[in-house]
Amino acid sequence: MFRWIGYGLAIMAVLALGFAAWVWLASARVLGRTHEAAPERLVQPSAAQLADAPRQARILGCLSCHAEGLRGRMMFEAPNVVKVWAPNLTELAARATDQQLAQAIRQGIGQDGRPLFVMPSPMYSHLSDQEVAALIVFMRSLPRAGAQTPRIEWGPIGRFALATGRFPDAVGRVEEFRVRQPFDLGPATAAGRRIAMTGCTECHGADLSGGRPTPDITAPDLAIAGAYDREQFRRMLRTGRPPSGRDLGLMGKIARDDTRHLTDTEIDQLHAYLQERAQRIAR
Ligand code: HEC
Ligand code: HEC
């Protein structure tokens, strides 16, 4: 009888090892993929775009994730899943070409061809050639400072998610963002639509119909903004406080750190687009 228990345990140990080896190999294959980036056409930004680039970098969230001065930081850690550093971009900018920086920003492809994770390149794929060029000039203008940042570290659960396709990289989602876009409601609301595409789709979904920025956080369809009047919308995007007074968690942080830097005009344009979109959905 002890012998049978022994065999049983041995078989289970072999299966467990086999499973661990499969997870390791399959996730290593995902992480080891490389991509050929499309050539970036970077054109000279206008003087106004160059002057506005530091503010754009705030609205777009570059400084929230990559830290003040873009010096990089440990962004978040989920034990056994993943430990994510947003890289020190002052270090990177000193080594990388404009092509490499641009392909990271809007194609989701790192300088060595590997797919990026967590970096919201799918959303930034909607930035224009000039806007990306202005961001690169801004990155290069910052003093080189801070320490080198490590690569993302994957734990066993994170590796399982990679192996089973549950943790998509930025490259595949760039394609999704090309195909699935928010309704185009014509020239009158085009400016607001663009702000939403480059600033809200990361969490609220490629077409703004709702998304899941992390496995345990959901962001609603932005039709919800249809219930806000102009003043309420301005207040929420500046302070994170909705009319209900509820604590919005991650959205509150985005408002206080990023969207606070939108001008009144930009917030009103965004509001006008989201109102139209909400009405169109209700019809
Ligand atoms: C939600 C957080 C977040 C935001 C917002 C963000 N990044 Fe990143 N970024 C990251 C992370 C994390 C990585 C590392 C990804 C990896 O190594 O897989 C990264 C990587 C990069 C890289 C380097 C890729 C390489 O070659 O290694 C560049 C360049 C970059 N980001 C620029 C920007 C710029 C410019 C902005 C604003 C327009 C921005 N990032 C906004 C999280 C963010
Ligand atoms: C980093 C992720 C993230 C980004 C970027 C983001 N949001 Fe959100 N947003 C959320 C989450 C998460 C919620 C849900 C908060 C809750 O219900 O607790 C939310 C909720 C909201 C709500 C509903 C608040 C309510 O009354 O319940 C509005 C309106 C909103 N976001 C507007 C925007 C707009 C406009 C943008 C772009 C300028 C944007 N968000 C960008 C994550 C994000």
Side-chain angles (χ1 to χ4, degrees), residues 60-62 65-66 75 84-87 89 92 101 104-105 110-111 114-120 124 135 139 152 202:
L60 295 170
C62 317
C65 284
H66 290 275
M75 252 183 78
V84 179
W85 282 267
L89 296 182
L92 190 84
L101 294 172
I105 295 173
Q111 46 174 334
R114 83 206 146 82
L116 300 178
F117 289 86
V118 183
M119 165 73 184
Y124 303 146
L135 283 172
M139 258 194 274
I152 295 178
E202 170 192 358

Side-chain angles (χ1 to χ4, degrees), residues 185-255:
L185 301 170
T189 53
R193 176 172 181 257
R194 255 191 72 75
I195 299 171
M197 285 170 81
T198 56
C200 317
T201 48
E202 170 192 358
C203 300
H204 289 279
D207 58 3
L208 303 176
S209 67
R212 216 169 242 281
T214 74
D216 46 359
I217 297 182
T218 50
D221 187 320
L222 278 188
I224 197 169
Y228 279 69
D229 69 27
R230 221 160 62 150
E231 282 312 314
Q232 290 169 332
F233 198 59
R234 283 189 189 176
R235 186 172 344 109
M236 199 281 274
L237 287 184
R238 293 252 157 79
T239 65
R241 255 182 309 116
S244 63
R246 202 160 60 82
D247 178 357
L248 292 181
L250 178 59
M251 184 64 220
K253 198 173 145 27
I254 290 294

Side-chain angles (χ1 to χ4, degrees), residues 97-182:
T97 61
D98 285 358
Q99 162 73 34
Q100 286 170 321
L101 294 172
Q103 77 189 36
I105 295 173
R106 61 175 176 182
Q107 297 184 50
I109 302 175
Q111 46 174 334
D112 46 7
R114 83 206 146 82
L116 300 178
F117 289 86
V118 183
M119 165 73 184
S121 311
M123 177 162 84
Y124 303 146
S125 66
H126 297 310
L127 293 173
S128 72
D129 296 348
Q130 283 187 316
E131 286 168 332
V132 172
L135 283 172
I136 291 176
V137 173
F138 168 65
M139 258 194 274
R140 294 201 182 286
S141 74
L142 295 170
R144 189 170 176 177
Q148 281 265 19
T149 32
R151 285 271 173 89
I152 295 178
E153 268 172 27
W154 297 90
I157 299 172
R159 283 191 168 265
F160 179 71
L162 286 173
T164 51
R166 262 170 262 202
F167 206 129
D169 64 44
V171 183
R173 299 200 64 222
V174 166
E175 176 56 20
E176 181 202 335
F177 273 54
R178 196 179 61 75
V179 178
R180 254 181 75 213
Q181 297 193 359

